[in-house]
Amino acid sequence: MANGLPTTRDMIAQLIATPSVSCVSPDHDMSNRAVIDLLAEWSEGLGFSTEVQAVNEVKYNLIARAGSGSDGLVLSGHTDTVPCDPALWFGDPFEAREADDRIYGLGSCDMKSFLALALTASSKVDLDRLNNPLTLVATADEESTMSGARLIADNGRKLGAYCVIGEPTSLSPIRQHKGVLTMSVEFVGQSGHASDPSLGNNALDGMHQFMTALYQYRDRIQQRFNDPAFKIPTPTMNLGHIHGGDNSNRICGACTLLIDIRYLPGMSFEQLHADIDQLGADIAGTRGLKVKTHVFGEGLPPMDTAEASEIAQYLTHITGKKTSSVAFGTEAPYYNMMQTETIVIGPGSIDQAHQPDEFLPLAQIDPTINMLESLIERFCLT
Ligand SMILES: [Zn+2]
């Protein structure tokens, strides 16, 4: 109970007991304010000065800082969790339960525990001795819109030279992930009686031609871009949903396709978007259809921190593991936009994230605290 800080296990339990689901569906979406308030109280108790940023009416970021300047280290995590289905859990998802050398609970691995471990590690350091600032950041809505991290990037105030985001990587350092572009393409024609094609203009026929063009485009970008650092070394394009027309005896008046593209560092979101717009416009033009494209959200940029970055090198040194890539997205690109060199490394495995009976292995708690203490020592005290 140094500095009035609860024990690590107690903090983890309190964070899990404080629901903060974020979801693009308003039925499940919740405020994260209560989690922010807990973290603010604990960090103030340690001597951090805190700033609560309103992302919108119900969502908040916390920035807790010790020391001043734009160098130093940021330890960052998201406060929200995905929704859960309590019926599929062995116990109550909002009650931290210790069994099998694990802590079970929603957010135990993704990623409320990391925030508690960052506080514990900070409590072991004399914050008055910092040469460079130490900043703890707790964000909103990582699991839904990334609006919390995006607000921090939009504000453009650099919070540190280096950042660690404690997403579950089983304590392996990660420097790369792909970017995501999700979009819809709709062709609108004219419905009419199926017996006479001249009575309408079939949107499904246009979509069929568009999909053929998309597959050819996918082949081209997969031949052009290839990075063996990724398990799937090429960009991917998944056509995930299609809807068009209503009845077999009516010419299809409108047809919509949903597309998910995962693109490599070095590829341009704007170029992909523009290329697909152009493919749609060309087909719509030759067939007399209207075309509408829509990008969902603002997409997620790829993460690409240099292997030569000092924080990448240091984490490789202390973990004995080379930096690598992951298949999931994180808030790291938003820090990299501010020239804050960012590595993702944290306890727990992504295999347990977003699953019933999510858990954190107890054996990873002390190694995480030790790693964070070393990072603070290296980037804030030396
Ligand atoms: Zn996460």
Side-chain angles (χ1 to χ4, degrees):
M1 289 283 282
N3 314 301
L5 194 69
T7 64
T8 304
R9 306 270 183 99
D10 195 16
M11 285 190 284
I12 292 173
Q14 288 193 55
L15 293 172
I16 289 172
T18 310
S20 53
V21 169
S22 85
C23 186
V24 287
S25 156
D27 295 349
H28 297 289
D29 197 47
M30 293 177 187
S31 173
N32 68 333
R33 182 68 201 227
V35 171
I36 291 287
D37 287 345
L38 277 175
L39 296 168
E41 181 194 325
W42 294 333
S43 39
E44 279 163 18
L46 293 179
F48 285 91
S49 52
T50 59
E51 175 193 342
V52 176
Q53 282 183 337
V55 179
N56 60 38
E57 305 78 55
V58 292
K59 307 283 190 167
Y60 300 88
N61 292 331
L62 173 70
I63 298 175
R65 266 170 92 71
S68 58
S70 59
D71 286 338
L73 179 68
V74 179
L75 301 177
S76 181
H78 61 84
T79 56
D80 57 322
T81 70
V82 289
C84 67
D85 185 349
L88 299 179
W89 283 63
F90 182 78
D92 180 352
F94 298 103
E95 192 181 320
R97 187 170 59 86
E98 280 191 36
D100 324 317
D101 297 320
R102 297 164 172 173
I103 299 177
Y104 291 91
L106 183 66
S108 56
C109 103
D110 187 14
M111 56 171 292
K112 289 178 167 177
S113 298
F114 177 80
L115 297 165
L117 302 185
L119 283 159
T120 301
S122 305
S123 75
K124 295 172 182 282
V125 177
D126 180 357
L127 297 181
D128 294 331
R129 277 182 51 228
L130 298 182
N131 293 322
N132 288 307
L134 173 62
T135 305
L136 309 182
V137 177
T139 60
D141 277 3
E142 191 272 346
E143 300 287 7
S144 50
T145 63
M146 298 262 178
S147 58
R150 209 179 342 243
L151 176 69
I152 290 171
D154 287 348
N155 285 346
R157 179 164 51 105
K158 187 175 178 177
L159 298 171
Y162 303 100
C163 173
V164 162
I165 299 179
E167 293 279 5
T169 69
S170 303
L171 294 176
S172 289
I174 301 300
R175 68 178 186 89
Q176 286 185 308
H177 63 63
K178 287 179 180 173
V180 184
L181 164 60
T182 313
M183 62 190 293
S184 67
V185 178
E186 181 186 25
F187 287 100
V188 180
Q190 172 72 48
S191 56
H193 199 280
S195 61
D196 182 352
S198 73
L199 294 173
N201 188 357
N202 196 312
L204 236 168
D205 290 353
M207 183 60 82
H208 173 255
Q209 192 183 346
F210 176 68
M211 284 167 61
T212 304
L214 263 190
Y215 289 137
Q216 289 165 350
Y217 177 69
R218 182 171 69 186
D219 287 346
R220 288 199 298 278
I221 59 173
Q222 288 182 336
Q223 271 157 27
R224 186 159 160 223
F225 297 97
N226 188 303
D227 186 341
F230 288 83
K231 187 174 162 212
I232 309 292
T234 59
T236 58
M237 178 193 289
N238 181 59
L239 310 192
H241 177 88
I242 190 164
H243 178 82
D246 42 39
N247 222 16
S248 60
N249 63 2
R250 272 180 25 108
I251 293 167
C252 173
C255 185
T256 304
L257 177 70
L258 301 187
I259 307 165
D260 172 296
I261 298 175
R262 309 277 159 147
Y263 61 101
L264 291 165
M267 295 178 71
S268 156
F269 176 92
E270 288 75 20
Q271 188 64 53
L272 288 163
H273 181 193
D275 289 347
I276 291 168
D277 273 0
Q278 190 60 51
L279 290 177
D282 289 348
I283 287 160
T286 55
R287 303 189 75 99
L289 297 165
K290 290 197 187 86
V291 63
K292 281 186 256 179
T293 63
H294 174 72
V295 172
F296 293 95
E298 294 172 40
L300 175 73
M303 172 190 187
D304 191 20
T305 303
E307 194 172 8
S309 163
E310 226 171 300
I311 190 155
Q313 296 283 320
Y314 184 68
L315 279 165
T316 293
H317 169 66
I318 61 173
T319 62
K321 295 176 188 168
K322 261 189 78 152
T323 52
S324 62
S325 67
V326 283
F328 56 92
T330 73
E331 296 170 323
Y334 299 103
Y335 284 102
N336 280 345
M337 279 175 200
M338 295 182 285
Q339 274 68 55
T340 299
E341 294 176 13
T342 303
I343 293 291
V344 176
I345 182 168
S349 164
I350 199 67
D351 295 349
Q352 273 85 53
H354 304 196
Q355 300 278 353
D357 298 322
E358 172 186 341
F359 65 82
L360 179 79
L362 293 177
Q364 290 185 15
I365 289 181
D366 286 340
T368 305
I369 295 169
N370 293 340
M371 174 188 80
L372 295 177
E373 266 192 86
S374 304
L375 283 162
I376 296 168
E377 178 80 35
R378 168 68 185 77
F379 292 104
C380 302
L381 288 167
T382 315

